[in-house]
Amino acid sequence: MKKWRNGFFLLFLVATSLILITQQVGAQAESPQKTALISGTIFDSQKQPVAGAEIVWSPQPGGEPLAQTTSQPNGSFALVLPETVKGSLLTGSAIRSSNSSEAGLPLSQVLTSTLTLQISRPHFKPDAIQLDQAAVQSLKAGQPVALPEIVMQRRIDLGFWIATVVFILVLVLIASGQLHNTLASLLGAALLLGISYLGEPLRQDLFIFNFNNALNYVDWNVVFLIMGMMIVIAVVERTGIFQWLAYMAYRISGGRTWLLVPILMLITGVASAFLDNVTTMLLMTPITVQIALSMGISPLALLMPEVMASNMMGISTLIGTPTNILIGSYASITFNDFLKNLTPGVFLGFIGLVIYSEFVYRKELLSDSEEGVSALLLEKLAERARITEPIHLQKAGVVGLGMLLLFIFGENVHLLPSVTALMGATALLVWIKPDIEEMIEAVDWTTLVFFITLFIVVGAVQEVGLISFIADGISRVVGSNLVLATLIIIWLSALLSTVIANIPFTAAMLPVVAFLSGTIPGATDKVLFYCLSVGSALGGNGSLIGASANMVTAGIAERAGYPITYVYFLKKGFPALVITVGLLTLWIFIRF
Amino acid sequence: MSGIVCAIRGGPGSRPTIDKAISLAAESDLRIYYLYVVNLDFLAHTQSSRIHSITEEMTQMGEFILLSAQATANARNVGAEGVVRQGDIGEEIVNLCLEVKADYVILGTPQVEREENIFNIQRLNTFRERLEGETGAQVVLVGGETE
């Protein structure tokens, strides 16, 4: 039975990889063009494409539609007019009485001197486009007609307010910790869909979106990339590598605490660039506490620099933070792009953070400890600092290297990061054959559900136009000034991320940044997306609730008798935020 | 078997509790059982899937903290051992007291009253009554524990 389950899980991973590959390669064929068609592209007032708008042609107002289509995700549509029209579908008595009513009238006889298209979409004002005589003549002659850009105006309806309130409610529930993150976003998604379906029969403007529309907002590349990486991490974390590395940091430092701090920061930071920050800190914190106790110093002098390094250095790669995964997938920023455009800046910030940490903890690090070094504890520490599963570590190292190469070079064949992560996870599972039950437990399904439902909640505020209004507001402030936009995106993101969970914040900001990138001259090189990456991640250093890694570090530290209070974190972390965001802002200006 | 159960979590806040246990043990010639309870409530809102891995790490950290307390007791010629448990701290204190037939239980009182404290003064007094009733051990409260 267990073998069957193991086989099924592996089969699921392989099948998922294949589906993602085929989806990527496929969907290139386009339908052959018909002659009598009307094509066009629909945008909103922020020049963002409007998908799902219904374009209808009916010869008589309120009559049976003779042709209809829906706009695509890029806003384009192609309305194919029928070659003949049955007379019974027309309300004009003259035409209906014609003998041709059964066989169908040629389109050229049905078309009058003008033609009106009705365009409608929930949360937009209905629009009507009238084709002039020349266009109608072209259609009569069987020639296609391309319409100029169509702009639909947003409409603030009841659905707008409901989606906005639900979005704020989810943010508040997450920030206040009243509900588990996943439960909060699940509640939001359920409310939005429930109101859409149950409310629409009562009031049409209660409709926000349907289930299919909601799923269109889910970025499956993000979900599968996170899932793949979780499996890899689950294997790596059981090898004892973190404990061994931390102990080696102590050995290399020779017991000099001022040297131990940057080494531990570097280990934590590099680990965070490839693994998620929470897992890194969950594994690093207990061993760091033990090192600090052995050396007779406060663990906080090591833990605070570590967690701040973790929050910062995660942004140096595409897979280092969930926010980077979101940004990379949305804006098509590759692993290499992050390496080229952010990693050097992150090292600049790292240097600043090391200097700051040495300064702020100088008393703990430079003076002799009260208790002194404990030989007994050090002996125990050395005993435990060993690789517990060396074979698994070797195999994970080989697979990890392969994944790194695919992340770096895979973009040449348009290989999605999610496919790389899934292939790596599958290869590792096939190679080491772990207990699949344990592996399934190690995948944080609640986090995956959190992302899926969060995409739906953020999708709702995009759907109803809230994001467009925010984008419009920011656009009015920054105008066409790229420098101002850069500063606002970095610093606003950083400050807001100290109080708002940065994942929903980033997900909501992506369309805003996309709009600004499309409208501000010089912003087309995605500089504003890098600003969002820097701000949303480094904001985590500003307060205890700014990042999940902070919370778990504080949780473990408290259970070792060294509580990290909100005020303590603010005092130590906020200056670090200012320094590191300042240095990264400088780097962004140098790089771009 | 009899002895002194002393629940600690480490850090400067636990020192008065550890010292009290040692002085009481020296007077009564009883063995100390330092107790550390692994509690992972802080993971409830984030990484619930990591509980398996982190439990092992926290257990090791607990053993480490207890080792330090044991060393302090041994240095003063008092016999002490460390016990790490997982779960609810109150239940685990009661269980250990019953197991070792404890004569005394040393508990730290919170330095600062906070809602998130597992034992605030009111809860501590309620727990004290329950502990004495269920185990027959005498509870000694010591100021300074932050829990």
Side-chain angles (χ1 to χ4, degrees):
Chain A
M1 182 65 184
K2 202 167 186 177
K3 275 187 179 175
W4 276 102
R5 292 176 73 171
N6 292 2
F8 179 76
F9 183 64
L10 289 176
L11 192 66
F12 167 72
L13 285 177
V14 172
T16 313
S17 304
L18 288 174
I19 288 167
L20 284 171
I21 290 170
T22 50
Q23 275 188 349
Q24 197 185 343
V25 172
Q28 288 177 355
E30 287 178 12
S31 58
Q33 260 198 354
K34 299 275 171 61
T35 46
L37 67 80
I38 304 167
S39 63
T41 311
I42 307 174
F43 293 95
D44 64 10
S45 53
Q46 277 86 38
K47 298 208 180 241
Q48 297 300 303
V50 176
E54 201 162 70
I55 302 99
V56 172
W57 171 54
S58 172
Q60 284 83 28
E64 182 99 14
L66 296 184
Q68 63 185 70
T69 189
T70 306
S71 61
Q72 300 303 301
N74 64 357
S76 68
F77 68 88
L79 183 71
V80 180
L81 304 185
E83 288 178 20
T84 58
V85 179
K86 282 186 178 178
S88 57
L89 295 176
L90 302 169
T91 54
S93 56
I95 299 172
R96 236 190 327 178
S97 63
S98 157
N99 289 337
S100 306
S101 63
E102 291 305 317
L105 290 167
L107 181 68
S108 56
Q109 285 187 28
V110 178
L111 290 174
T112 53
S113 57
T114 59
L115 183 149
T116 305
L117 297 181
Q118 302 296 330
I119 304 178
S120 62
R121 193 191 186 285
H123 316 297
F124 284 87
K125 291 176 183 165
D127 205 353
I129 304 293
Q130 194 162 44
L131 274 68
D132 59 19
Q133 210 166 357
V136 174
Q137 287 307 321
S138 297
L139 290 171
K140 279 183 175 177
Q143 290 171 349
V145 170
L147 298 176
E149 203 171 89
I150 300 165
V151 178
M152 291 188 81
Q153 297 300 321
R154 290 267 179 194
R155 183 182 61 187
I156 294 182
D157 52 16
L158 195 54
F160 173 91
W161 293 113
I162 289 170
T164 304
V165 168
V166 169
F167 177 65
I168 293 168
L169 175 73
V170 170
L171 287 182
V172 169
L173 287 174
I174 292 174
S176 65
Q178 293 289 312
L179 283 183
H180 189 289
N181 293 355
T182 304
L183 196 51
S185 58
L186 192 62
L187 175 70
L191 274 174
L192 292 164
L193 286 167
I195 291 170
S196 289
Y197 279 96
L198 300 175
E200 193 190 11
L202 305 173
R203 271 190 71 147
Q204 207 172 4
D205 60 355
L206 280 171
F207 178 79
I208 297 159
F209 52 15
N210 63 31
F211 186 64
N212 284 338
N213 255 356
L215 288 188
N216 283 338
Y217 283 102
V218 178
D219 189 337
W220 295 103
N221 184 38
V222 169
V223 174
F224 280 96
L225 176 54
I226 291 172
M227 189 180 92
M229 292 309 295
M230 279 176 180
I231 294 171
V232 176
I233 291 166
V235 174
V236 174
E237 74 182 17
R238 288 152 200 243
T239 61
I241 181 71
F242 286 90
Q243 293 78 355
W244 182 80
L245 282 173
Y247 180 67
M248 289 312 290
Y250 166 76
R251 291 278 302 273
I252 292 167
S253 72
R256 287 162 290 187
T257 45
W258 63 267
L259 186 56
L260 180 63
V261 168
I263 298 174
L264 282 175
M265 286 170 75
L266 192 63
I267 290 171
T268 312
V270 172
S272 296
F274 295 97
L275 311 175
D276 80 275
N277 299 352
V278 173
T279 303
T280 305
M281 288 315 298
L282 275 175
L283 296 171
M284 285 298 288
T285 304
I287 187 71
T288 303
V289 168
Q290 292 170 53
I291 290 174
L293 294 179
S294 304
M295 297 175 74
I297 60 170
S298 166
L300 302 189
L302 303 180
L303 288 177
M304 285 296 293
E306 265 183 28
V307 72
M308 289 191 289
S310 174
N311 287 333
M312 188 181 68
M313 292 186 75
I315 60 168
S316 53
T317 69
L318 170 71
I319 56 172
T321 61
T323 50
N324 269 18
I325 293 174
L326 286 172
I327 293 166
S329 183
Y330 185 91
S332 300
I333 297 176
T334 65
F335 196 88
N336 289 346
D337 292 335
F338 276 109
L339 283 184
K340 278 185 290 189
N341 296 320
L342 277 191
T343 307
V346 168
F347 275 99
L348 182 67
F350 177 76
I351 293 167
L353 193 57
V354 168
I355 294 169
Y356 169 75
S357 300
E358 295 279 358
F359 174 77
V360 81
Y361 285 108
R362 61 192 181 282
K363 281 183 190 165
E364 289 89 339
L365 300 177
L366 296 175
S367 62
D368 291 334
S369 67
E370 283 177 24
E371 296 170 8
V373 177
S374 164
L376 175 72
L377 295 182
L378 280 175
E379 197 181 319
K380 193 77 179 168
L381 198 63
E383 259 176 48
R384 286 177 174 168
R386 59 187 177 84
I387 305 292
T388 50
E389 294 182 5
I391 306 293
H392 283 189
L393 184 62
Q394 281 174 15
K395 290 177 179 177
V398 172
V399 171
L401 187 65
M403 288 173 69
L404 185 62
L405 292 174
L406 282 180
F407 279 132
I408 293 171
F409 298 110
E411 66 176 88
N412 296 322
V413 291
H414 307 292
L415 181 65
L416 289 175
S418 57
V419 178
T420 300
L422 277 175
M423 289 196 302
T426 308
L428 203 52
L429 291 180
V430 170
W431 199 7
I432 66 173
K433 294 187 179 64
D435 183 337
I436 212 77
E437 298 288 342
E438 277 185 25
M439 284 297 111
I440 290 172
E441 278 176 26
V443 172
D444 198 351
W445 299 104
T446 51
T447 297
L448 297 182
V449 174
F450 168 64
F451 271 94
I452 292 169
T453 48
L454 178 69
F455 280 127
I456 292 175
V457 173
V458 174
V461 287
Q462 269 181 267
E463 182 78 13
V464 299
L466 174 67
I467 300 292
S468 296
F469 289 123
I470 293 172
D472 206 29
I474 295 178
S475 178
R476 276 183 206 157
V477 173
V478 300
S480 57
N481 189 334
L482 182 58
V483 172
L484 186 59
T486 302
L487 290 172
I488 285 183
I489 296 289
I490 292 186
W491 286 91
L492 190 70
S493 306
L495 295 175
L496 287 177
S497 292
T498 61
V499 285
I500 300 175
N502 62 0
I503 293 172
F505 171 76
T506 303
M509 281 296 286
L510 287 171
V512 176
V513 172
F515 167 63
L516 295 174
S517 298
T519 54
I520 298 173
T524 48
D525 51 5
K526 298 173 183 172
V527 57
L528 296 180
F529 284 103
Y530 293 112
C531 295
L532 180 62
S533 165
V534 168
S536 60
L538 294 190
N541 280 340
S543 77
L544 181 61
I545 60 165
S548 298
N550 303 347
M551 301 291 280
V552 297
T553 305
I556 298 173
E558 188 180 24
R559 274 146 187 80
Y562 293 88
I564 299 174
T565 62
Y566 188 89
V567 173
Y568 179 87
F569 200 102
L570 193 71
K571 275 185 189 169
K572 307 289 183 188
F574 200 80
L577 178 151
V578 174
I579 291 167
T580 53
V581 174
L583 287 170
L584 266 292
T585 305
L586 181 67
W587 166 254
I588 293 268
F589 282 124
I590 293 169
R591 180 71 184 87
F592 293 95
Chain B
M1 196 159 59
S2 61
I4 299 167
V5 168
C6 178
I8 57 169
R9 62 167 24 181
S14 284
R15 276 183 207 136
T17 319
I18 292 169
D19 289 341
K20 179 67 185 174
I22 293 171
S23 60
L24 191 59
E27 285 169 19
S28 57
D29 201 24
L30 290 168
R31 190 167 186 77
I32 303 174
Y33 296 89
Y34 287 118
L35 172 67
Y36 181 89
V37 180
V38 175
N39 180 289
L40 299 175
D41 287 350
F42 66 95
L43 286 179
H45 282 206
T46 51
Q47 298 270 310
S48 46
S49 70
R50 291 283 174 267
I51 284 176
H52 176 77
S53 304
I54 194 62
T55 300
E56 284 178 27
E57 295 303 316
M58 293 290 282
T59 302
Q60 287 199 356
M61 190 178 81
E63 287 170 0
F64 212 80
I65 288 166
L66 296 183
L67 198 62
S68 177
Q70 285 170 258
T72 309
N74 293 340
R76 293 196 225 166
N77 295 320
V78 170
E81 56 187 270
V83 180
V84 179
R85 296 278 167 89
Q86 293 164 27
D88 178 78
I89 187 162
E91 292 303 319
E92 294 307 325
I93 292 172
V94 172
N95 291 341
L96 184 62
C97 286
L98 292 172
E99 282 169 33
V100 303
K101 297 184 177 62
D103 298 294
Y104 298 98
V105 183
I106 316 290
L107 296 176
T109 55
Q111 283 177 323
V112 184
E113 277 289 307
R114 285 185 293 153
E115 185 54 36
E116 62 268 28
N117 285 347
I118 294 172
F119 288 131
N120 57 24
I121 294 293
Q122 195 183 352
R123 284 182 209 151
L124 194 60
N125 285 329
T126 309
F127 179 66
R128 176 187 192 163
E129 286 169 19
R130 180 194 156 198
L131 194 56
E132 288 181 336
E134 284 186 29
T135 68
Q138 186 185 335
V139 176
V140 179
L141 298 180
V142 181
E145 179 63 85
T146 52
E147 188 162 65

